[in-house]
Amino acid sequence: AQSVTQPDIHITVSEGASLELRCNYSYGATPYLFWYVQSPGQGLQLLLKYFSGDTLVQGIKGFEAEFKRSQSSFNLRKPSVHWSDAAEYFCAVGAESGGYQKVTFGIGTKLQVIP
Amino acid sequence: DTAVSQTPKYLVTQMGNDKSIKCEQNLGHDTMYWYKQDSKKFLKIMFSYNNKELIINETVPNRFSPKSPDKAHLNLHINSLELGDSAVYFCASSQEGGERIFGPGTRLTVL
């Protein structure tokens, strides 16, 4: 069974600073990888996904993530954070299970942006 | 156009009551899901339906019963509500092998 770890529960960055949110996964084969964002009181919105191909994936809102097989990681990055990026971020890993894709979510990282 | 919609957005009820949450998707997806998000934001899969057929049922009390009248709808009925059922419930849908598209959530509070 697959699993995903988000080591940082809470991160605070200054507006305009760069951001990196960590995500590590455990799965025997190449997984499907996702990053979602959840603003307060909202549902989860897909930022980006990795299925195969180029290991650097571009997403919405200026985010990108890089799949590193050797480190079992899929870290999310943004070069310059905006106050509106304050939210909860979830990494997720998907894998085939019994003919269907099962997706497991991490516990989330809460991003606080200070002026 | 709302891709995945849920009603109601908020639900406040007494212990022991029975309640339902409705979900509809207009994306033409084959698979729909119910997730529960607890107070610590942990997101856990409850059920998954593919073309109206139950394919995932994760250790959920049998007080929870999903119903899928067609592949665009997946409703969740909860009997004999308990305090521990208080959470945010998310409906989602996906096409085969694709990412989940989530609804806005239903915040259930059991008093």
Side-chain angles (χ1 to χ4, degrees):
Chain A
Q2 72 269 33
S3 66
V4 60
T5 302
Q6 293 181 249
D8 305 306
I9 304 296
H10 194 163
I11 282 187
T12 300
V13 299
S14 299
E15 192 169 12
S18 63
L19 171 70
E20 182 169 30
L21 301 182
R22 295 185 290 164
C23 173
N24 293 97
Y25 69 89
S26 174
Y27 183 61
T30 300
Y32 305 121
L33 295 161
F34 311 89
W35 274 100
Y36 286 84
V37 60
Q38 184 180 26
S39 297
Q42 305 294 316
L44 279 76
Q45 181 183 21
L46 181 71
L47 284 174
L48 46 79
K49 61 186 179 184
Y50 172 79
F51 282 6
S52 64
D54 193 346
T55 56
L56 185 61
V57 180
Q58 301 297 321
I60 62 171
K61 305 187 180 191
F63 285 93
E64 67 177 26
E66 187 171 11
F67 170 57
K68 292 186 177 180
R69 185 190 303 276
S70 61
Q71 298 177 20
S72 298
S73 69
F74 189 57
N75 294 349
L76 182 71
R77 300 193 294 250
K78 186 169 184 177
S80 177
V81 170
H82 188 262
W83 64 267
S84 60
D85 293 323
E88 193 93 23
Y89 290 80
F90 294 91
C91 181
V93 57
E96 294 296 326
S97 174
Y100 299 98
Q101 188 197 78
K102 183 176 180 181
V103 174
T104 301
F105 286 82
I107 61 173
T109 297
K110 185 171 185 176
L111 174 65
Q112 182 180 7
V113 180
I114 56 177
Chain B
D1 288 342
T2 303
V4 182
S5 59
Q6 297 178 228
T7 54
K9 188 168 175 62
Y10 299 97
L11 189 52
V12 181
T13 188
Q14 299 286 333
M15 275 176 51
N17 283 351
D18 303 338
K19 291 293 178 185
S20 291
I21 308 171
K22 295 186 176 182
C23 177
E24 176 181 2
Q25 56 97 2
N26 62 6
L27 299 167
H29 288 168
D30 290 328
T31 309
M32 295 185 72
Y33 312 83
W34 278 110
Y35 285 85
K36 179 180 180 181
Q37 186 176 48
D38 62 23
S39 58
K40 294 185 178 177
K41 301 290 187 180
F42 183 65
L43 201 64
K44 184 176 169 55
I45 181 73
M46 300 173 68
F47 301 103
S48 174
Y49 269 74
N50 182 268
N51 273 320
K52 303 194 299 177
E53 180 185 343
L54 180 66
I55 56 172
I56 294 176
N57 182 350
E58 294 281 327
T59 319
V60 176
N62 56 15
R63 297 183 294 105
F64 291 78
S65 52
K67 285 186 171 54
S68 182
D70 55 62
K71 76 172 195 176
H73 296 84
L74 180 62
N75 303 324
L76 183 65
H77 188 76
I78 315 170
N79 289 326
S80 303
L81 278 155
E82 301 177 356
L83 293 176
D85 297 332
S86 295
V88 181
Y89 293 84
F90 287 101
C91 178
S93 72
S94 72
Q95 196 56 313
E96 183 181 336
E99 65 275 15
R100 274 61 168 156
I101 305 300
F102 283 84
T106 296
R107 181 174 293 277
L108 171 64
T109 303
V110 182
L111 304 175

